[in-house]
Amino acid sequence: MPPQPARAWQRMLSGRRLDLLDPTPVDIEIEDIAHGLAFVARWNGQTMGDFAYSVAEHSLLVEDIFTRMQPKAPVKWRLAALLHDAPEYVIGDMISPVKAAVGPGYGDLDQRLTAAIHLRFGLPAALPKTVKAQIKRADKVSAWMEAVQIAGFSEKEASRFFGRPKPETVEGLNIVLRPPLETRMAFLSRHAQLLAQL
């Protein structure tokens, strides 16, 4: 009997069976995304505090920063900012050095999942390059804040890797550490608010 091919799908808590190699928008549920991201730790869990800093919490911060940096951006791009790391609900959050070691396969998988997620929530499969770059800038500001506030970097070191943000961009913002279920609910609430404004 020939060997069976490796399983390339995951059963989600919603009951959906998500094919990781050929994901479809039909199998994407925001509850699965929010739950998964609330339990995925940024920085490989190497952060200070009593709770891991989750990708869901990071996503909320990136959307906030993106909105500060692009106050006239349409709501759909704010939604894209919130969902910028959504594929990590099934593939996890790999730090950049690990992504580089894994090679292009990780990026391909991420792109397929991103396209399915975007289509599920009414966004284009691929974002315009300018919007993607704006979200990436907000992501780097978030990474700088996280590095300095909870990941043990000095400001000088964080600035070397992520660039120093303008003071007005981060004024009044702080890293939030809270239980995963609180973060999950906050992510779901923000997603619903943005969808209602589309």
Side-chain angles (χ1 to χ4, degrees), residues 112-193:
R112 285 194 295 271
L113 284 162
T114 296
I117 291 164
H118 282 180
L119 292 172
R120 170 67 176 84
F121 300 112
L123 297 170
L127 298 178
K129 287 182 181 178
T130 53
V131 174
K132 192 170 182 178
Q134 290 166 346
I135 293 171
K136 187 63 182 172
R137 282 196 290 278
D139 193 29
K140 284 195 165 194
V141 171
S142 176
W144 185 91
M145 288 180 60
E146 294 162 22
V148 170
Q149 292 185 27
I150 59 172
F153 285 59
S154 68
E155 287 194 13
K156 182 178 179 182
E157 186 180 27
S159 298
R160 190 167 77 243
F161 288 112
F162 308 112
R164 181 179 289 275
K166 294 178 181 177
E168 62 269 21
T169 302
V170 296
E171 185 180 356
L173 290 179
N174 289 299
I175 299 298
V176 177
L177 298 172
R178 52 186 164 176
L181 298 185
E182 282 184 31
T183 307
R184 181 182 73 189
M185 294 309 297
F187 186 94
L188 285 170
S189 174
R190 187 64 186 143
H191 182 266
Q193 289 169 359

Side-chain angles (χ1 to χ4, degrees), residues 7-195:
R7 178 170 65 90
W9 57 268
Q10 180 175 348
R11 177 77 61 199
M12 311 309 294
L13 285 178
S14 64
R16 296 286 188 190
R17 184 169 141 161
L18 182 66
D19 185 333
L20 301 179
L21 300 180
D22 187 24
T24 65
V26 169
D27 292 320
I28 305 293
E29 297 291 346
I30 193 60
E31 291 80 6
D32 292 332
I33 293 172
H35 183 83
L37 295 183
F39 283 91
V40 173
R42 294 261 300 161
W43 303 91
N44 280 349
Q46 298 301 305
T47 52
M48 300 172 219
D50 293 333
F51 298 103
Y53 184 69
S54 73
V55 175
E57 201 72 71
H58 162 78
S59 298
L60 288 162
L61 180 59
V62 169
E63 190 261 325
D64 193 355
I65 293 168
F66 173 80
T67 301
R68 284 175 172 226
M69 295 173 78
Q70 307 296 330
K72 295 181 180 178
V75 173
K76 65 181 176 179
W77 302 144
R78 292 165 63 187
L79 178 61
L82 181 70
L83 296 172
H84 79 284
D85 278 339
E88 294 179 7
Y89 84 110
V90 286
I91 59 177
D93 179 41
M94 288 191 198
I95 59 173
S96 296
V98 175
K99 288 179 186 175
V102 170
Y106 179 90
D108 294 343
L109 180 58
D110 183 84
Q111 284 179 352
R112 285 194 295 271
L113 284 162
T114 296
I117 291 164
H118 282 180
L119 292 172
R120 170 67 176 84
F121 300 112
L123 297 170
L127 298 178
K129 287 182 181 178
T130 53
V131 174
K132 192 170 182 178
Q134 290 166 346
I135 293 171
K136 187 63 182 172
R137 282 196 290 278
D139 193 29
K140 284 195 165 194
V141 171
S142 176
W144 185 91
M145 288 180 60
E146 294 162 22
V148 170
Q149 292 185 27
I150 59 172
F153 285 59
S154 68
E155 287 194 13
K156 182 178 179 182
E157 186 180 27
S159 298
R160 190 167 77 243
F161 288 112
F162 308 112
R164 181 179 289 275
K166 294 178 181 177
E168 62 269 21
T169 302
V170 296
E171 185 180 356
L173 290 179
N174 289 299
I175 299 298
V176 177
L177 298 172
R178 52 186 164 176
L181 298 185
E182 282 184 31
T183 307
R184 181 182 73 189
M185 294 309 297
F187 186 94
L188 285 170
S189 174
R190 187 64 186 143
H191 182 266
Q193 289 169 359
L194 291 170
L195 275 188

